[in-house]
Amino acid sequence: MKLEFTCSQCKIQNKFKPVTTTRGELQMKVGDEVQLICKYCNKEDKKHINRIDAVVDNKKILFALIICAVIAIVLLSFYGLIALAVISIPLLIWIQESKSTHHFNSYKIRRK
Ligand SMILES: [Zn+2]
């Protein structure tokens, strides 16, 4: 979550700090009205804190999404390796079996 206010002149949303979890907390910190300066048009404005809105921080969500995607890929490749190991067990047994049979068959007893 982030806090924003809309500039009364250029109507662009500005970030507002400090960020608090409730408007009540914000009131305790900054009072009923705050002096704001738009960083786009430099207009100074006095706003009531009711005019400051909380908005979803998309950057934070995107960041979480990337982290989750990375974890998912890591988990998938990890379980993928286990799956590969499980599949390779009968293959290894087969290789071992064919080696021993070959070994057995290649050695012939000299007939008397
Ligand atoms: Zn402005």
Side-chain angles (χ1 to χ4, degrees):
M1 185 187 90
K2 59 183 178 180
L3 296 179
E4 280 186 351
F5 67 89
T6 309
C7 172
S8 59
Q9 187 171 279
C10 66
K11 310 287 176 202
I12 293 175
Q13 302 241 294
N14 280 254
K15 260 191 209 168
F16 179 81
K17 274 181 184 168
V19 176
T20 55
T21 46
T22 62
R23 214 186 288 275
E25 245 180 83
L26 189 65
Q27 188 191 29
M28 277 195 277
K29 273 192 179 172
V30 297
D32 288 346
E33 283 199 322
V34 276
Q35 194 75 34
L36 300 160
I37 299 166
C38 173
K39 78 175 175 187
Y40 301 97
C41 65
N42 287 317
K43 180 176 162 45
E44 263 190 67
D45 214 352
K46 209 174 194 184
K47 274 191 194 296
H48 192 269
I49 55 165
N50 279 350
R51 304 277 302 278
I52 291 160
D53 295 311
V55 288
V56 173
D57 197 345
N58 289 325
K59 258 189 222 161
K60 202 181 273 178
I61 290 174
L62 196 73
F63 186 70
L65 212 74
I66 290 165
I67 298 269
C68 285
V70 167
I71 290 169
I73 289 163
V74 167
L75 277 177
L76 257 175
S77 60
F78 185 67
Y79 285 118
L81 277 176
I82 289 171
L84 207 72
V86 169
I87 291 164
S88 67
I89 289 169
L91 196 74
L92 286 172
I93 291 169
W94 179 76
I95 290 167
Q96 193 54 48
E97 281 292 291
S98 67
K99 258 189 197 166
S100 5
T101 50
H102 180 75
H103 187 250
F104 182 90
N105 293 334
S106 63
Y107 184 76
K108 301 264 198 238
I109 306 284
R110 204 182 295 167
R111 289 184 205 208
K112 282 176 187 169

